[in-house]
Structures are given as C-alpha cells and as structure tokens.
Amino acid sequence: MSVKIRLQRHGKKGKPFYWIVAADARSKRDGKFLEKIGTYNPNTNPATIDLNLDGAVQWLHNGAQPTDTARAILSYKGALLKHHLDGGVRKGALTQEQADAKLAAWLESKAGKVDAKKAGLSKADADAKAKALKAEKEANEKRIAAQAEAAKAAEAVVEEEVEAPADAEAAVEETPAVEENNEETEA
C-alpha cells in the first residue's frame, strides 16, 4: 500500500479550504485518509498553513510521497528540510543539535520573510485607502464648487428676472401699436 501526502478539499463553492492528509493512494480525493497532518487556506493573503511538522516528517520517513502541491506546502513550512537534516543525522554527517540549529535558523528567516510580506500588504492597503480618500476629497471639492457656481448662476437669473419685467412691460406696450399699424395697412 503506497501512501500519499495530499490535499483533501473542503469548504464551499468558490471558497476552498484544504486538509493536508496522509492517505492511501487508491482512495478518493475526499475519501478515507490515514491521518490529518494540517490545514491549508488559500483564501487569505498570504495563505494560512497550519502543519504538524513532526507528523509530516514521520510520514516522509515512512515513505509517503507528497503530491506536487503538498510538496510545495511541506517545503514552505520546512518539513522537507527537517526530513533532509534527519537523513544527515542518521548517516552521521551532523549531530542532532546541529540539525536543530539549522532548522531553527531557517524557520526564523522564513518567519521574517512572511512578516515582511504581511507588513508590505498592510502598507499597500493603507496606501490604497489614503489614495481613495484623497480622490474622494477632490471629487467632493469639485462637486461643492459646481454647486456654488450653480447657485451663483441661479441668483443671476433671478436678478435678471427682477430687472426684466420693467423692460417687458415697455415691450408689451410697444407691440400693440405695431399690430395696429399692421391692421391699418391691410385694410
């Protein structure tokens, strides 16, 4: 019986959530498994991975073959490095303390990179929010200026209407005289 370390899909449509499991290679993707090693949530940025490092390394020692995606996850979390270092300890190339020190240094540098990515993402979000706020303020200022111009134009129209009726009455008085002249020429 060959054992695979692979992902088992959970979650709703469009929002996948995976379990990292050790399963018989003949079982279905979401079927029976031997042991749940961890979880993988690709919906967050950066992806959230919770992995039982010792359990994954134990399955690798027993000969379990990870799938391509599972191999990438195990490499990202340091399980493959620990498996490699344990091989060096078994062969006598390293002591257990040296292997543990190398693994701890690698995990620390990896955590620093992940924290830097999270900080960069939060900074990018803050910059995007500030840019959106600035654009919104500019749009509001333009809208307020347009309203002020419209109000001034309305006041100017009202003032013209106040001045225009006096001229309109004179024009109305002139128009009947013109009409009377037209009637006399027709007759």
Side-chain angles (χ1 to χ4, degrees):
M1 168 174 95
S2 63
V3 177
K4 291 247 184 222
I5 296 176
R6 64 183 180 199
L7 301 181
Q8 194 176 68
R9 191 181 195 285
H10 293 275
K12 64 182 185 177
K13 182 169 53 172
K15 297 284 187 179
F17 182 84
Y18 298 97
W19 286 0
I20 304 167
V21 297
D24 183 3
R26 298 170 291 182
S27 66
K28 297 178 182 178
R29 178 192 74 176
D30 298 335
K32 266 198 307 190
F33 60 91
L34 300 171
E35 182 182 355
K36 178 181 172 185
I37 300 172
T39 60
Y40 168 59
N41 184 3
N43 298 319
T44 60
N45 192 5
T48 305
I49 301 171
D50 180 31
L51 183 69
N52 178 0
L53 192 63
D54 294 329
V57 171
Q58 185 60 43
W59 279 107
L60 290 171
H61 287 325
N62 291 338
Q65 295 297 313
T67 60
D68 292 339
T69 308
R71 180 178 299 280
I73 291 171
L74 293 175
S75 175
Y76 181 80
K77 293 304 277 187
L80 293 180
L81 177 64
K82 184 171 182 181
H83 175 64
H84 176 72
L85 291 173
D86 286 349
V89 170
R90 280 195 305 270
K91 291 179 182 178
L94 306 170
T95 64
Q96 186 64 43
E97 293 79 24
Q98 291 173 331
D100 291 341
K102 284 185 178 184
L103 180 66
W106 185 86
L107 289 174
E108 186 177 320
S109 69
K110 186 68 169 185
K113 290 178 185 177
V114 171
D115 290 340
K117 181 176 181 181
K118 285 181 183 178
L121 289 172
S122 63
K123 184 176 185 259
D125 287 343
D127 290 344
K129 285 181 183 179
K131 185 177 178 182
L133 181 63
K134 182 179 176 183
E136 185 176 344
K137 284 182 179 179
E138 289 174 1
N140 283 342
E141 289 171 0
K142 288 179 182 177
R143 184 176 42 82
I144 290 170
Q147 286 177 349
E149 289 177 15
K152 287 179 183 178
E155 289 176 9
V157 169
V158 169
E159 289 175 4
E160 289 177 8
E161 289 177 359
V162 170
E163 295 172 2
D167 296 336
E169 291 174 5
V172 170
E173 292 175 0
E174 294 174 6
T175 21
V178 173
E179 289 176 6
E180 292 174 6
N181 291 341
N182 287 341
E183 289 175 7
E184 291 176 2
T185 52
E186 287 177 7

